[in-house]
Amino acid sequence: MSGFVLLLLPSRLAAQGQVDGTWTGTDYITGIDTYITSMAVQPDGKVVIAGPFSVCYGQVRMRLARLNADGSLDTTFDPGIGVGPSGRIHDVIVRPDGKILIAGE
């Protein structure tokens, strides 16, 4: 993989029920130390992201973070070191009741 892809969240999100064919499955976001492999949008516009990253906007976030609708880090969402996912996350979804489910190793 070469270069970076700047992910501008509100403009990159497809309308609900629409497929965003521009997402390659591994996009770089400025402020994250590596790439994301999965994302899910909550009803309030916040975006849960997952990937092999460990830092998001200068804060330790091991493999899982949530961004506000404007793309900034949601500091109220912190799975914690040693509490959050300890392996690779393959998928993340937000259930209709708002609960976040992750699947991986």
Side-chain angles (χ1 to χ4, degrees):
M1 204 175 281
S2 62
F4 287 90
V5 174
L6 176 60
L7 180 61
L8 301 174
L9 289 172
S11 64
R12 279 289 307 271
L13 297 176
Q16 187 170 354
Q18 301 295 315
V19 174
D20 180 358
T22 63
W23 190 47
T24 64
T26 54
D27 280 348
Y28 286 88
I29 298 177
T30 301
I32 295 179
D33 63 344
T34 185
Y35 56 91
I36 62 170
T37 55
S38 184
M39 72 169 90
V41 181
Q42 295 181 298
D44 62 1
K46 292 183 179 184
V47 181
V48 180
I49 59 173
F53 54 83
S54 59
V55 176
C56 183
Y57 293 104
Q59 301 294 315
V60 174
R61 294 292 187 273
M62 300 302 292
R63 300 175 188 89
L64 189 64
R66 184 168 64 190
L67 306 178
N68 294 308
D70 67 0
S72 63
L73 179 65
D74 179 358
T75 57
T76 66
F77 180 85
D78 183 2
I81 299 172
V83 178
S86 60
R88 177 176 282 198
I89 299 172
H90 295 284
D91 201 11
V92 59
I93 63 169
V94 177
R95 292 178 15 162
D97 64 3
K99 292 183 179 177
I100 299 166
L101 299 178
I102 59 174
E105 298 170 15

